[in-house]
Amino acid sequence: MNDLSPDRAERSAKLKGLGHSRKRVEDQRFTQGRGNYVDDIKMPDMLFGDFVRSPYAHARVKSINIDKAMALPGVIAVLTAKDLEPLSLHWMPTLAGDKQMVLADGKVLFQGQEVAFVIAEDRYINADAIELVEVEYEELPVITDPFKALEPDAVVLREDLAGQTSGAHGERKHHNHIFLWEAGDKEATEQVVETADVVAEEMVYYHRTHPCPLETCGCVASMDKVTGKLTLWGTFQAPHVVRTVASLLSGIEEHNIRVVSPDIGGGFGNKVGVYPGYVCSIVASIVTGKPVKWIEDRMDNLMATAFARDYWMKGKIAATKDGKITGLHCEVTADHGAFDACADPTKFPAGFMNICTGSYDIPVAYLGVDGVYTNKAPGGVAYRCSFRVTEAAYFIERMIEVLAIELNMDAAELRAKNFIRKDQFPYTSAMGWEYDSGDYHTAWDKALTAVGYDVLRAEQAERVEAFKRGETRKLIGIGLSHFTEIVGAGPVKNCDILGMGMFDSCEIRIHPTGSAIARLGTISQGQGHATTFAQILASEIGLPADSITVEEGDTDTAPYGLGTYGSRSTPVAGAAAAMAGRKIRAKAQMIAAYLLEVHDGDLEWDIDRFVVKGAPEQFKTMAEIAYASYNQAIPGVEPGLEAVSYYDPPNMTYPFGAYICVMEIDVDTGTHEIRQFYALDDCGTRINPMIIEGQVHGGLTEALAIAMGQEIAYDEIGNVKTGTLMDFFIPTAWETPTYTTDFTETPSPHHPIGAKGVGESPNVGGVPAFSNAVHDAFRPFGLRQAHMPHDHWRIWKIGNDLGLHDDV
Amino acid sequence: MIPAAFDYHRPQGIEDAIAILQKHGDDARVIAGGHSLIPMMKLRMAEVPNLVDLQDIESLKGITIQNGRVNIGAMVTQHELITNEGLAAAAPIMREAALQIADPQVRYMGTIGGNVANGDPGNDMPGLMQCLDATFTLFGPDGARGVKARDFYEGAYMTERDDEEIMTAIHFDASTAGYAYEKQKRKIGDYATAAAAVMLTKDGQTCSSAAIALTNLSDTPIWSQGAGAALIGTDCGPAAIKAAVAAGLDDIDPSEDNRGPIAFKYHAARMMISRAIASAWARA
Amino acid sequence: MTKMNISLTVNGQVHEVEAEPRQLLIHLLREDLNLTGAHIGCETSHCGACTVEMDGKSVKACTVFAAQAQGADITTIEGLAEPGTLNVLQESFREHHGLQCGYCTPGMITRAHRLLQENPTPTEEDVRFGMAGNLCRCTGYQNIVKSIMAAANELNPAKEAAE
Ligand SMILES: Cc1cc2nc3c(=O)[nH]c(=O)nc-3n(C[C@H](O)[C@H](O)[C@H](O)COP(=O)(O)OP(=O)(O)OC[C@H]3O[C@@H](n4cnc5c(N)ncnc54)[C@H](O)[C@@H]3O)c2cc1C
Ligand code: FES
Ligand code: FES
């Protein structure tokens, strides 16, 4: 007979499974400064590579003279397009079906473009050598405005595409046009818009910005000529994809390439793409036979790798007189820069922009996106979001506000009137997405109550009166946002990257003494996977999370997966972990039945053990079963306890949330103060509340930055004006408010544990909340739309344009 | 971001330092805290074949207050300006302004000498020195000379200082005047969009003296005599402030940058001047 | 290029390094002394990832030349506690989830260490102002502030007793 203590609650607590605010296992190393990031890697004879970059946004490269650089002691080689051409590596394919120059081939198309790759013994010599490479340019006319790019007589940017009237995503209607991507029902929508009671029309611009993780991109490539094996360490959010691409590009067989993502200092989408630095480092290592390190500096990073957004979204929203939305029409002009290097699933060149009906039950909708080339850096990455969902959420949350103005209605009420109701889920949107679950009204009411919405509105109205009487120069803005995310890409039937289905994977090995190792196809960049995936498994397999090691990022050991971005890790790899755990449990049940001499069906799972039904004192713990699986011959059962699962999600997940920002705006200086920020998130089942809360704080702060000042700005000749952290706005602790977080919990019906993912929600929902607060403050004075970022001078300009200043 | 190579000198006394400057002429430059110079060198916007580090020269350090006169060694850091209680009593505007410069790490390194000698219109101390009517001591091959802060600045990065001179100290009168340093910036660590330093004294309800200076609104710091004059003899009420603002705006010539267009700079200047006057008046 | 001998004390140990004067302190620490805790995030003295303590000051090691550090006494994140152990601040960051990707963390903790030396009983406002030279892209600072406040409390039994 077995002892029944400890009791169930104690056993459950010991596992630190789902719902437990487990402390992170990563932090022991990180707090001691013992992380292992790519620039920490040091190898004997390692060389250092770096780029000569173009100072011009559009120019012909007449000549490149490397003689002086080569004469500098310590310089090993200088690669140009000519050197890469025989290997067919002077251009590379992009994730979006376009191609991109690795090194300038005849011309440059954006400032900061890679022109030559210098390889030297250390970074100091390298920096000196870069100064000595002589490049002769002939300047060409520059286009930084996508609308000008489409004018008939606009200069041809991509001469390599001359005569090609179609591209990877269909017809090109102009020499600087990339694609037109459409969703929804154009005709029906136009008809609704034409005949509606009320139509609000607005151009909403979501400006160009950049993920700017604190660690820039970089890699170390090491070609071992003896074994023929290439090892590549780097800042990769998708290491397996990098391995496949490296194999396809280099011709090295995939089993001879090992890609390792060490610790990553934040990604936010910046580290999904494949950059010329990776290609050049690999070539340099092959050529020199030595390891080659390439690390971007911050200016390179902001100028050349992975911008985000830059969408001009022209909207029309139709409604009845009493505020029921009847249709949504959206035409986007998307500035993709010089090469289409967007990191979207293949069939979605505008990402999931067609989630732009948001949280609302809109009967008909149409979206058309024109991708356009300009003389700006390539990228278009999902900056802490799932493939353009931030643009979509910003668009619809602005259009709702504009419609509220048109209807002279309260914007909170207008939202509530149009939310998809709880009983409508699963809900198919006019654009064809199947929303899995939601309860928007409950979340919304909770949020409005929490902030005391009606009292706030009354205070705001009083303030407006005081302002008009000249008693104050400060206004209050109440920024509302109710967003619906679409994450967890995605079902293999319609989501792939370079042909690779967007499943993910988990492999688990249980050790004889009841501990385990799990390996996944994803890679943490601060999300705490080593902590949370162990929690999912702890709940599934009944071993303490503290006894489960989680490993990611080494393609030699981890099962194939598509990586971490688009909030896909929990929905996809988390599901794979749960499913692999269930396979383990199924086998464990057979072993337990044998050990307890009962039939499988007579057992039930109880936290960390199988128990004979009706006889709780008869049980086998998972640890006992693990031991038995290795030391007993069990008829009909293979020894060992291992499982692997490749999870192809049946659908995306749809987290949502209600955010409210209360902002004080000093009309005189254009400065603002955030008085209160309330964030309610519903990400389905909550795995680790502490980590969720941390993700929300971080995402909101990125949203704050984007809405209030952060941008990649160009002057008219294509110079980047925001190339350092002096001008590229990242708030400090001083400018960042304290947030209040809250939640509701509506599990995803199709996910094994009901989890939806949260890492990106606060950025998606936060930007409209901050921006709407600015707009809302000036609504009583007639403001409809003012483009972000809302930095001081732009807020001043709003006031100025509305005649609120007396000095002009 | 790696600077070009240079030879490094660390003289122990001021004469040695001057000798090195004389020897290398244009090819030598002094470094104090380095937090203006090193970023420029890393961007290869400043080339300095011979770098002369002043950190060991004891005579450039320390703050003394004697007979109502404040003397600050050129190598005194902004952090020291903030933490020195004597200075806070003798010239509280120094602490108020220094706290608005850069961030803690930069303030530990950045010196007052570097800040005023640099000649960058974005630096805050030069405007403040106009307001305080400070005198700078410059030491060169021919010994020391004093130059008024109000005569020192000629253009962006161009000052009265000869290449072979080193600034050794800064002097101004201790003051009980009402004071304020109002600075608009985008975030901590940013230079001013516009900033105003104001010191004024009160005789009953009448302003008896006023000094007003402005930062980052022209290619040099601006001491606006007109703005100060507009306050004297008034009650610093709305009409007087308006007149002072108008005079101040007449003296500036801001340029457009990422902080905003010229019209906004004028507007921000207007706000900073009026707020600084109001706050200084309240403290007078 | 002429190199010079630089001697400096790092984490209590005297080192003699041959380096070009222009070498940046951050590279000297990371590459010559293998102290890779302090990181490089911006190179223009805006992010604080490279923060170390030099002669009792928090400094951005990307904006100090090795030559300037001749004779200096430097403490890095690796020197705050015995290897393998956490000091109160480090433990507090772990406890209160004051880090995510960990890239800013060594600079944050090293800076917070000095802040608490100078102001053992900071208000939240003091912490936010005193930490404004360090950027974090992941945490939104809320839990960093919480970690530092909690560490101050822990380090300050007098204050605790008074409560
Ligand atoms: C992120 C950041 C933000 C900043 N924000 C601000 C701000 O808001 N406001 C502000 O005012 N400053 C700001 N600064 C500049 C900072 O205050 C500088 O440290 C200061 O301006 C220069 O002082 P320094 O001792 O570092 O000078 P250095 O950088 O050492 O020298 C600057 C120049 O002055 C010369 N020089 C230095 N000392 C002397 C001397 N004694 N005699 C003659 N010439 C000398 C040098 O040759 C050099 O040309 C910022 C700096 C950074 C990195
Ligand atoms: S790397 Fe030194 S401050 Fe950013
Ligand atoms: S934890 Fe990632 S930058 Fe701070």
Side-chain angles (χ1 to χ4, degrees):
Chain A
M1 188 135 10
N2 275 303
D3 180 6
L4 283 181
S5 63
D7 68 15
R8 299 188 78 239
E10 200 177 316
R11 285 193 277 126
S12 173
K14 200 174 141 223
L15 292 185
K16 301 187 186 167
L18 293 184
H20 190 279
S21 283
R22 180 180 183 225
K23 302 295 172 240
R24 301 199 330 162
V25 293
E26 298 88 337
D27 296 355
Q28 188 82 12
R29 285 188 303 120
F30 288 155
T31 54
Q32 294 180 71
R34 308 212 184 256
N36 183 32
Y37 302 87
V38 66
D39 199 14
D40 300 343
I41 293 171
K42 206 168 151 182
M43 298 176 74
D45 295 332
M46 188 169 76
L47 303 173
F48 200 87
D50 203 357
F51 289 105
V52 176
R53 293 177 182 273
S54 170
Y56 299 110
H58 196 194
R60 236 169 263 298
V61 177
K62 307 285 282 183
S63 67
I64 303 176
N65 185 340
I66 64 168
D67 296 347
K68 284 186 188 155
M70 286 302 294
L72 189 72
V75 174
I76 310 295
V78 180
L79 301 177
T80 64
K82 276 207 186 70
D83 303 303
L84 300 183
E85 194 172 352
L87 309 166
S88 294
L89 286 175
H90 55 319
W91 288 74
M92 63 178 186
T94 68
L95 297 181
D98 194 2
K99 54 184 181 157
Q100 173 177 352
M101 289 181 214
V102 173
L103 291 172
D105 182 21
K107 72 189 270 192
V108 286
L109 286 154
F110 64 94
Q111 188 184 44
Q113 188 178 329
E114 301 80 359
V115 173
F117 191 67
V118 175
I119 306 150
E121 281 168 10
D122 69 38
R123 53 180 111 209
Y124 285 76
I125 298 170
N126 202 307
D128 292 340
I130 285 172
E131 301 279 301
L132 297 174
V133 175
E134 296 165 327
V135 185
E136 195 191 333
Y137 297 95
E138 177 192 311
E139 286 182 72
L140 296 168
V142 172
I143 305 179
T144 57
D145 175 340
F147 298 100
K148 291 201 176 131
L150 291 180
E151 285 172 4
D153 56 351
V155 63
V156 178
L157 300 181
R158 290 287 300 275
E159 287 161 352
D160 60 296
L161 299 179
Q164 292 188 22
T165 52
S166 71
H169 309 288
E171 198 197 336
R172 299 174 63 220
K173 58 186 188 200
H174 179 277
H175 53 260
N176 294 329
H177 185 248
I178 312 173
F179 61 79
L180 167 63
W181 188 72
E182 293 179 287
D185 188 336
K186 187 173 185 186
E187 228 171 278
T189 308
E190 282 173 358
Q191 193 163 359
V192 165
V193 168
E194 265 165 40
T195 56
D197 291 356
V198 181
V199 179
E201 253 188 89
E202 201 49 77
M203 171 67 96
V204 177
Y205 179 46
Y206 197 142
H207 58 290
R208 182 175 273 239
T209 181
H210 193 285
C212 193
L214 200 55
E215 177 201 38
T216 58
C217 298
C219 71
V220 177
S222 176
M223 182 73 200
D224 185 330
K225 290 227 159 132
V226 180
T227 62
K229 186 144 184 166
L230 171 72
T231 308
L232 188 62
W233 293 266
T235 47
F236 309 128
Q237 286 179 247
H240 286 95
V241 178
V242 169
R243 184 184 71 188
T244 303
V245 173
S247 173
L248 292 172
L249 283 179
S250 67
I252 302 172
E253 279 195 86
E254 205 165 346
H255 73 105
N256 274 330
I257 302 177
R258 176 178 169 218
V259 175
V260 185
S261 295
D263 292 326
I264 296 185
F268 315 124
N270 195 173
K271 295 166 181 172
V272 174
V274 174
Y275 299 120
Y278 304 153
V279 177
C280 289
S281 303
I282 294 172
V283 173
S285 180
I286 294 172
V287 171
T288 61
K290 292 184 177 162
V292 176
K293 181 188 271 191
W294 165 71
I295 306 284
E296 286 179 318
D297 71 25
R298 178 59 61 195
M299 286 174 82
D300 301 341
N301 176 252
L302 290 173
M303 265 195 314
T305 51
F307 81 89
R309 326 291 192 235
D310 218 347
Y311 259 34
W312 292 90
M313 304 175 282
K314 197 166 148 223
K316 291 181 196 151
I317 188 164
T320 61
K321 275 200 256 338
D322 58 354
K324 189 84 190 91
I325 301 170
T326 53
L328 179 71
H329 190 276
C330 178
E331 285 175 319
V332 179
T333 302
D335 185 338
H336 284 229
F339 308 98
D340 185 10
C342 292
D344 293 319
T346 309
K347 296 194 188 82
F348 297 89
F352 303 153
M353 180 62 202
N354 59 338
I355 190 78
C356 63
T357 53
S359 310
Y360 310 100
D361 182 15
I362 302 181
V364 287
Y366 167 75
L367 168 73
V369 181
D370 282 299
V372 182
Y373 291 123
T374 60
N375 289 121
K376 299 185 192 169
V381 300
Y383 170 6
R384 202 161 185 155
C385 80
S386 183
F387 314 115
R388 304 291 185 183
V389 62
T390 37
E391 288 90 325
Y394 184 63
F395 169 73
I396 184 65
E397 290 302 293
R398 282 299 312 139
M399 289 310 293
I400 289 281
E401 296 279 321
V402 174
L403 179 61
I405 292 171
E406 200 75 44
L407 291 164
N408 195 21
M409 203 171 160
D410 178 82
E413 187 191 330
L414 177 61
R415 283 181 172 83
K417 193 162 208 153
N418 287 285
F419 283 146
I420 301 163
R421 291 186 321 274
K422 190 178 174 185
D423 57 83
Q424 287 176 287
F425 291 96
Y427 168 88
T428 305
S429 77
M431 301 276 196
W433 294 110
E434 190 189 302
Y435 292 33
D436 57 350
S437 65
D439 183 356
Y440 300 164
H441 284 100
T442 301
W444 195 237
D445 290 344
K446 193 173 179 184
L448 295 179
T449 310
V451 300
Y453 183 68
D454 295 337
V455 176
L456 280 173
R457 281 286 177 214
E459 186 191 348
Q460 182 188 37
E462 272 168 38
R463 182 71 71 84
V464 168
E465 290 313 310
F467 185 92
K468 287 180 178 162
R469 291 194 301 268
E471 293 163 17
T472 178
R473 295 292 291 164
K474 284 193 177 172
L475 293 172
I476 300 176
I478 303 168
L480 304 175
S481 158
H482 189 290
F483 64 93
T484 296
E485 260 256 69
I486 171 170
V487 306
V492 173
K493 62 177 187 286
N494 59 4
C495 289
D496 70 87
I497 282 190
L498 288 179
M500 234 57 65
M502 294 181 75
F503 58 84
D504 228 290
S505 57
C506 175
E507 178 201 285
I508 310 174
R509 294 183 194 167
I510 313 286
H511 307 315
T513 50
S515 62
I517 181 163
R519 296 192 169 103
L520 296 101
T522 42
I523 176 72
S524 188
Q525 309 121 41
Q527 296 91 338
H529 289 173
T531 309
T532 50
F533 286 149
Q535 290 183 261
I536 295 177
L537 284 169
S539 288
E540 291 292 341
I541 63 177
L543 294 175
D546 291 344
S547 302
I548 303 170
T549 298
V550 172
E551 243 183 47
E552 301 175 299
D554 184 339
T555 59
D556 263 10
T557 54
Y560 205 100
L562 271 276
T564 295
Y565 44 87
S567 267
R568 61 185 304 281
S569 296
T570 302
V572 191
M579 296 312 269
R582 285 173 197 182
K583 288 185 185 173
I584 297 267
R585 216 159 81 187
K587 183 170 177 184
Q589 187 165 4
M590 292 199 279
I591 298 171
Y594 173 80
L595 297 174
L596 292 165
E597 297 177 7
V598 295
H599 191 268
D600 287 7
D602 296 332
L603 292 176
E604 62 187 2
W605 176 249
D606 180 36
I607 299 171
D608 57 352
R609 62 194 57 184
F610 278 103
V611 179
V612 176
K613 283 179 188 161
E617 71 291 349
Q618 287 190 50
F619 63 81
K620 286 287 168 196
T621 65
M622 198 63 172
E624 291 170 318
I625 297 166
Y627 194 63
S629 76
Y630 286 93
N631 78 348
Q632 290 200 23
I634 302 170
V637 178
E638 282 180 13
L641 198 50
E642 295 189 7
V644 54
S645 169
Y646 282 74
Y647 186 78
D648 176 10
N651 189 5
M652 318 285 277
T653 62
Y654 297 77
F656 62 94
Y659 292 175
I660 299 176
C661 170
V662 185
M663 194 184 274
E664 295 262 352
I665 291 180
D666 182 335
V667 177
D668 280 336
T669 53
T671 54
H672 67 272
E673 189 189 326
I674 289 146
R675 209 166 85 177
Q676 184 183 5
F677 198 106
Y678 169 89
L680 178 150
D681 273 284
D682 190 320
C683 57
T685 304
R686 289 156 58 86
I687 300 168
N688 183 323
M690 175 190 86
I691 288 182
I692 292 173
E693 208 176 90
Q695 292 283 315
V696 173
H697 296 160
L700 286 176
T701 305
E702 291 191 347
L704 168 77
I706 295 168
M708 305 312 292
Q710 183 179 91
E711 65 175 324
I712 296 288
Y714 290 84
D715 67 12
E716 58 293 341
I717 56 164
N719 295 311
V720 180
K721 296 200 292 178
T722 50
T724 70
L725 298 191
M726 169 69 86
D727 287 312
F728 184 82
F729 176 59
I730 295 178
T732 72
W734 186 251
E735 292 87 25
T736 304
T738 301
Y739 307 102
T740 307
T741 55
D742 202 347
F743 66 97
T744 55
E745 196 161 350
T746 313
S748 167
H750 63 76
H751 187 275
I753 60 166
K756 290 186 170 184
V758 73
E760 299 167 337
S761 297
N763 197 344
V764 173
V767 172
F770 289 112
S771 178
N772 282 346
V774 174
H775 284 90
D776 185 66
F778 291 99
R779 177 177 166 179
F781 301 91
L783 179 68
R784 261 172 79 106
Q785 175 64 25
H787 297 319
M788 294 189 291
H790 306 298
D791 49 5
H792 300 172
W793 78 264
R794 287 182 175 95
I795 290 184
W796 159 80
K797 188 167 183 305
I798 293 173
N800 214 33
D801 292 348
L802 295 173
L804 303 181
H805 296 136
D806 57 9
D807 62 338
V808 272
Chain B
M1 289 181 209
I2 295 201
F6 54 79
D7 284 330
Y8 176 77
H9 310 265
R10 201 194 277 194
Q12 300 299 306
I14 190 79
E15 285 83 3
D16 304 341
I18 300 292
I20 300 167
L21 291 184
Q22 278 185 288
K23 178 167 167 210
H24 296 286
D26 256 4
D27 276 353
R29 201 140 150 194
V30 301
I31 184 168
H35 274 52
S36 286
L37 186 57
I38 296 176
M40 299 291 276
M41 291 172 71
K42 286 173 77 175
L43 295 169
R44 300 205 176 202
M45 284 155 70
E47 204 177 330
V48 184
N50 286 277
L51 193 66
V52 186
D53 189 344
L54 303 180
Q55 68 169 295
D56 282 356
I57 304 178
E58 287 304 319
S59 61
L60 302 181
K61 298 179 184 171
I63 300 173
T64 60
I65 300 159
Q66 267 170 350
N67 306 327
R69 192 86 177 143
V70 177
N71 309 290
I72 305 177
M75 287 297 283
V76 168
T77 64
Q78 285 144 13
H79 179 76
E80 291 170 273
L81 295 178
I82 292 166
T83 50
N84 188 294
E85 292 304 331
L87 182 64
I93 196 171
M94 291 294 287
R95 177 184 283 177
E96 174 152 302
L99 278 168
Q100 296 180 64
I101 292 178
D103 62 41
Q105 284 94 320
V106 175
R107 292 194 295 263
Y108 280 112
M109 292 301 284
T111 65
I112 186 168
N115 201 301
V116 300
N118 197 23
D120 180 343
N123 282 140
D124 288 290
M125 286 292 163
L128 202 61
M129 295 300 129
Q130 313 291 302
C131 187
L132 285 159
D133 193 15
T135 301
F136 303 149
T137 302
L138 301 175
F139 193 92
D142 304 327
R145 64 175 175 129
V147 180
K148 287 270 197 192
R150 291 173 181 174
D151 301 329
F152 187 70
Y153 297 96
E154 295 167 346
Y157 301 100
M158 284 178 359
T159 66
E160 249 301 297
R161 186 181 62 84
D162 282 344
D163 283 348
E164 293 173 5
E165 284 180 319
I166 290 173
M167 184 177 295
T168 54
I170 287 128
H171 321 268
F172 50 83
D173 288 338
S175 159
T176 53
Y179 66 92
Y181 192 71
E182 288 283 337
K183 174 177 176 181
Q184 175 157 1
K185 57 185 175 184
R186 294 172 296 182
K187 58 173 278 195
I188 286 196
D190 190 20
Y191 292 92
T193 304
V198 173
M199 291 179 70
L200 44 78
T201 52
K202 223 185 211 175
D203 191 1
Q205 275 313 303
T206 309
C207 175
S208 47
S209 76
I212 297 183
L214 306 168
T215 295
N216 219 10
L217 290 163
S218 283
D219 66 352
T220 62
I222 296 295
W223 169 47
S224 178
Q225 278 176 278
L231 295 181
I232 295 170
T234 75
D235 61 352
C236 284
I241 292 183
K242 204 165 172 190
V245 166
L249 298 191
D250 262 355
D251 287 342
I252 61 175
D253 182 18
S255 47
E256 173 168 353
D257 60 19
N258 286 326
R259 296 177 186 87
I262 290 169
F264 175 62
K265 297 290 184 74
Y266 274 103
H267 180 81
R270 190 173 92 118
M271 296 324 304
M272 293 305 107
I273 298 169
S274 51
R275 286 182 184 186
I277 294 172
S279 160
W281 181 250
R283 286 162 165 175
Chain C
M1 259 143 277
T2 45
K3 292 200 171 187
M4 60 185 279
N5 281 317
I6 294 171
S7 102
L8 70 180
T9 307
V10 183
N11 300 332
Q13 205 180 325
V14 179
H15 293 271
E16 300 276 344
V17 186
E18 206 183 63
E20 277 188 74
R22 66 163 163 168
Q23 189 174 351
L24 296 162
L25 178 61
I26 188 68
H27 289 144
L28 182 137
L29 294 170
R30 290 176 46 83
E31 281 162 27
D32 295 305
L33 304 182
N34 287 324
L35 295 167
T36 54
H39 296 133
I40 299 172
C42 70
E43 304 184 58
T44 51
S45 59
H46 289 98
C47 78
C50 61
T51 301
V52 301
E53 189 160 315
M54 183 166 92
D55 297 328
K57 305 181 277 201
S58 298
V59 302
K60 292 174 173 170
C62 71
T63 308
V64 176
F65 289 126
Q68 289 174 287
Q70 155 71 33
D73 188 355
I74 289 170
T75 306
T76 68
I77 184 78
E78 290 91 344
L80 289 187
E82 286 298 308
T85 67
L86 303 187
N87 77 0
V88 171
L89 258 169
Q90 290 165 321
E91 184 57 46
S92 190
F93 269 67
R94 201 182 78 84
E95 180 66 28
H96 298 285
H97 193 30
L99 64 149
Q100 291 180 25
C101 79
Y103 201 74
C104 70
T105 311
M108 284 283 176
I109 293 180
T110 311
R111 167 62 197 142
H113 174 75
R114 172 101 311 255
L115 177 73
L116 293 186
Q117 306 279 309
E118 290 175 12
N119 182 357
T121 54
T123 61
E124 177 178 334
E125 193 159 279
D126 293 337
V127 171
R128 287 188 179 268
F129 192 71
M131 295 302 294
N134 294 71
L135 298 179
C136 175
R137 290 291 284 146
C138 301
T139 64
Y141 306 103
Q142 195 154 326
N143 288 339
I144 290 178
V145 174
K146 199 168 158 192
S147 305
I148 297 169
M149 297 293 287
N153 255 318
E154 178 99 353
L155 288 165
N156 206 341
K159 193 178 162 196
E160 266 194 352
E163 276 166 7

